[in-house]
């Protein structure tokens, strides 16, 4: 194998959310649920929902704001970006990609831009890909985005899913650094298991089953989930992939300063922390305020902790995700 001369590191983070807050009590006005049940079973208190009559709250608009903030922190301009990796499962349009909408809005003229969909794992998959392109010297600077307008694919009559999700976007700037730089992405570990597709899917809306008024009336173009089954797989896979990442680097879980898991359910996060014997005080959580924002959970939780100073240079961070597909991934980095 050719020796690698480069590594990559995150130099800027940003996030953006729609204005409108939807509380548990708001949801209880339209479906049979209540604040206590949602808080106890999921840890969610409220989520943000895009007003799609406003162009400013579309997926690429949230991605745009988050990217601008990340570029500002990194001290970079849109012209510096070589590639955009846009993780999403709720794109503005199927064609063109949301990545291309963002490229246009930013004026990132030299960047090639691509969407990728590993559901809730998309951001970590995109970050891993950006890392590979940078390490091989093909690009110098990448923008990696995880952004969703999940409210557009929620069945609002289904209380087992509609209480869980929210809208939001996060972005990071990733730059080339010397291979032996102490501050860099250390490793990433990705996996997919299509056998488990039935645990979480959208039946219609692709070429399998185009949307007709009848299909839309039955909400077959919205998310369907087997919550209990996913819960069990999630706890085991998040723990397994955390261990894989730390062992690949000859580290112990105690060496991790901050774990940033996918925010699907606070009980999943707590169960993983227990399994790993990792203190919850060092797990970054934002599900209480934003719900599950799919590919946006990790970059938005990261951005929050970078900006409020919890994350400091030299800290070891563990990203740990799972999503529909199913997909799994972990990524270890030194900040
Ligand atoms: O990133 C995407 C991946 N998705 C996930 O990771 C989701 C993983 N799963 C979960 O987070 C949980 O399974 C849920 C939050 C979806 C459900 O929690 P649960 O503890 O597994 O509840 P359950 O489905 O076993 O339901 C328990 C009870 C049932 O009533 P009975 O049969 O015990 O009388 C449900 O009908 O709670 C009832 N229930 C509700 N009650 C009030 C289900 N949903 C609700 C609700 N409000 N929204």
């Amino acid at each position: 194998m050719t020796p690698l001369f480069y590594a990559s590191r995150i130099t800027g983070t940003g996030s953006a959310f729609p204005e409108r807050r939807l509380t548990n009590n708001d949801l209880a006005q339209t479906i049979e649920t209540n604040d206590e049940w949602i808080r106890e079973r999921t840890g969610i208190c409220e989520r943000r929902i895009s007003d799609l009559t406003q162009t400013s709250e579309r997926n690429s608009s949230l991605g745009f704001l988050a990217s601008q903030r990340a570029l500002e922190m990194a001290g970079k301009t849109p012209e510096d970006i070589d590639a955009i990796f846009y993780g999403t499962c709720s794109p503005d349009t199927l064609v063109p990609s949301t990545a291309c909408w963002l490229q246009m809005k930013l004026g990132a003229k030299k960047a090639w831009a691509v969407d990728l969909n590993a559901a809730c794992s998309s951001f970590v998959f995109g970050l891993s890909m950006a890392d590979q392109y940078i390490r091989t010297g093909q690009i110098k600077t990448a923008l990696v985005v995880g952004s969703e307008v999940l409210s557009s694919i929620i069945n609002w009559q289904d209380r087992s899913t509609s209480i869980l999700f929210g809208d939001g976007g996060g972005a990071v700037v990733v730059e080339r650094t010397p291979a032996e730089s102490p501050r860099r992405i250390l490793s990433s570990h990705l996996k997919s298991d299509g056998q488990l597709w039935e645990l979480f899917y959208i039946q219609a809306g692709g070429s399998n089953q185009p949307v007709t008024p009848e299909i839309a009336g039955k909400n077959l173009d919205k998310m369907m989930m087997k919550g209990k089954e996913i819960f069990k797989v999630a706890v085991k896979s998040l723990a397994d992939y955390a261990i894989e990442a730390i062992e690949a680097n000859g580290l112990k879980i105690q060496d991790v300063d901050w774990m940033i898991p996918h925010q699907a359910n606070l009980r999943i996060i707590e169960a993983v922390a227990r399994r790993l014997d990792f203190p919850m005080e060092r797990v970054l959580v934002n599900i209480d305020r934003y719900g599950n924002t799919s590919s946006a959970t990790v970059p938005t939780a990261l951005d929050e902790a970078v900006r409020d100073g919890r994350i400091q240079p030299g800290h070891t961070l563990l990203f740990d995700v799972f999503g529909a597909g199913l997909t799994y991934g972990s990524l270890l980095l030194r900040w």
Side-chain angles (χ1 to χ4, degrees), residues 299-313:
T300 56
L302 170 72
D303 180 49
E304 187 171 47
V306 168
R307 286 178 191 270
D308 69 20
R310 274 175 292 170
I311 294 177
Q312 287 294 317

Side-chain angles (χ1 to χ4, degrees), residues 13 16 22 24 88 125 132 165 216 226 229 253 287 306 308:
T13 65
L22 185 71
N24 296 340
T88 192
F125 274 53
Q132 310 306 314
F165 299 99
K226 295 193 173 156
E229 286 90 334
I253 195 70
I287 189 172
V306 168
D308 69 20

Side-chain angles (χ1 to χ4, degrees), residues 14-21 46-51 56-59 61-67 69 146-149 165-171 263 285-304:
S15 50
F17 292 95
E19 287 286 314
R20 185 177 158 222
R21 291 182 151 81
E46 60 178 37
R47 68 289 289 143
R48 301 295 184 90
I49 301 295
S50 283
D51 174 357
S56 60
E57 297 201 338
R58 288 183 182 158
N59 188 329
S61 310
L62 299 175
F64 172 70
L65 266 181
S67 299
R69 290 169 181 157
S147 182
E148 306 284 0
V149 177
F165 299 99
D167 301 336
Q263 319 271 312
V285 172
N286 70 2
I287 189 172
D288 50 331
R289 286 153 293 141
Y290 303 116
N292 178 349
T293 54
S294 188
S295 66
T297 63
V298 169
T300 56
L302 170 72
D303 180 49
E304 187 171 47

Side-chain angles (χ1 to χ4, degrees), residues 62-287:
L62 299 175
F64 172 70
L65 266 181
S67 299
Q68 274 191 324
R69 290 169 181 157
L71 285 164
E72 192 186 342
M73 187 188 287
K76 293 277 157 190
T77 67
E79 288 79 18
D80 295 320
I81 306 167
D82 299 310
I84 298 171
F85 299 85
Y86 203 112
T88 192
C89 62
S90 51
D92 281 4
T93 50
L94 277 180
V95 177
S97 66
T98 310
C100 280
W101 286 116
L102 175 65
Q103 188 244 8
M104 177 188 76
K105 288 182 181 181
L106 281 172
K109 293 199 186 75
K110 76 170 184 202
W112 51 266
V114 64
D115 278 9
L116 54 103
N117 178 1
C120 303
S121 305
S122 300
F123 172 76
V124 167
F125 274 53
L127 186 54
S128 171
M129 290 176 199
D131 178 49
Q132 310 306 314
Y133 273 95
I134 290 175
R135 283 166 55 193
T136 54
Q138 293 207 31
I139 63 172
K140 248 174 120 173
T141 305
L143 190 61
V144 182
V145 182
S147 182
E148 306 284 0
V149 177
L150 297 174
S151 55
S152 62
I153 49 170
I154 289 172
N155 173 357
W156 289 103
Q157 271 98 57
D158 176 9
R159 68 176 184 172
S160 68
T161 52
S162 61
I163 56 150
L164 294 174
F165 299 99
D167 301 336
V172 298
V173 174
V174 191
E175 290 186 64
R176 179 190 280 182
T177 189
E180 293 313 317
S181 165
R183 301 179 67 187
R184 65 189 155 91
I185 292 179
L186 299 169
S187 68
S188 56
H189 309 268
L190 311 180
K191 189 178 158 141
S192 299
D193 183 358
Q195 297 280 358
L196 296 179
W197 67 270
E198 247 180 315
L199 298 193
F200 197 127
Y201 66 100
I202 298 176
Q203 184 173 319
S207 54
N208 277 0
Q209 198 169 24
V211 182
T212 61
E214 195 196 344
I215 284 185
K218 292 182 187 159
N219 278 311
L220 298 181
D221 56 342
K222 302 293 190 290
M223 295 188 275
M224 294 192 223
M225 183 182 79
K226 295 193 173 156
K228 267 196 181 325
E229 286 90 334
I230 284 219
F231 194 106
K232 285 184 214 142
V233 181
V235 172
K236 184 176 180 325
S237 63
L238 286 172
D240 287 352
Y241 280 86
I243 291 166
E244 181 163 336
I246 54 173
E247 285 186 349
N249 292 282
L251 298 175
K252 298 193 177 64
I253 195 70
Q254 294 77 13
D255 297 320
V256 172
D257 293 290
W258 297 105
M259 180 156 81
I260 312 182
H262 173 48
Q263 319 271 312
N265 184 320
L266 185 61
R267 287 189 297 133
I268 294 179
I269 297 172
E270 289 170 343
V272 173
R274 270 197 306 277
R275 250 184 201 231
L276 295 171
D277 199 14
F278 190 78
M280 271 306 285
E281 303 78 62
R282 289 201 271 133
V283 181
L284 298 182
V285 172
N286 70 2
I287 189 172

